[in-house]
Amino acid sequence: RKVLAIVSPSRADGRSYLAANLAIVFSQLGEKTLLIDADMRNPRQHELFGLHNQYGLSALLTGRANGSVIEKIRNFENLSVLPAGATPPNPLELASRHEFAVLLRSEVRHFDVVLVDTPAAERSSDAEAIAARAGGALLLARAHRSRNESLGQLAATLQTARVELGGS
């Protein structure tokens, strides 16, 4: 699978850190990697990589920017990041748009691996919509914090949406 959404039930489960670290590892293995911050409610990737967040995914999906908002990370030859951009009033609507699926299909032609950081599933349906567009997801659990019931519900929701679970 070339596109993988990183999902979890709760806030502070570590999705953004895991997504960033996976992206770095893939890039160090020689894979041309794109990390998309699709958590338009509480974006983190711009902070982790020291990027501006004025323009990004939200601007791309609303037609206010082009692919030039994807930033190459200086110290990692094969790593690029698409920050979330300005917080829109309607993140779920943007994540559900056909344009998001088109963007993912387009980027798969330019990158070997596309990882998508998502918001917590407990806060909105954004993670499910994003994972459905990606087609695959990695379900993240945090030791001594994540509840089996929440993980099971999220896994069932993703499978109902025909999202292939790549692991947990």
Side-chain angles (χ1 to χ4, degrees), residues 61-118:
L61 295 177
T62 57
R64 294 178 299 147
N66 59 29
S68 66
V69 295
I70 296 174
E71 297 193 43
K72 193 134 176 52
I73 304 303
R74 237 181 44 209
N75 295 327
F76 299 97
E77 180 181 340
N78 294 310
L79 179 59
S80 297
V81 174
L82 173 57
T87 302
N90 54 350
L92 178 57
E93 180 185 325
L94 290 181
S96 299
R97 282 187 176 179
H98 176 68
E99 288 85 351
F100 188 62
V102 170
L103 170 70
L104 292 175
R105 281 195 306 268
S106 171
E107 296 309 326
V108 163
R109 287 185 253 138
H110 304 289
F111 293 92
D112 301 317
V113 176
V114 178
L115 299 172
V116 187
D117 187 10
T118 68

Side-chain angles (χ1 to χ4, degrees), residues 18-52:
L18 179 69
N21 281 300
L22 279 175
I24 289 169
V25 168
F26 277 117
S27 73
Q28 289 176 329
L29 291 171
E31 302 288 332
K32 193 170 177 193
T33 306
L34 174 62
L35 174 58
I36 298 174
D37 191 347
D39 185 349
M40 293 179 273
R41 295 177 189 273
N42 188 27
R44 296 275 298 143
Q45 296 303 333
H46 69 284
E47 294 172 355
L48 296 175
F49 288 99
L51 306 172
H52 294 287

Side-chain angles (χ1 to χ4, degrees), residues 117-139:
D117 187 10
T118 68
E122 71 183 4
R123 300 197 63 200
S124 68
S125 297
D126 298 13
E128 291 92 354
I130 293 163
R133 295 288 186 229
L138 176 65
L139 181 58

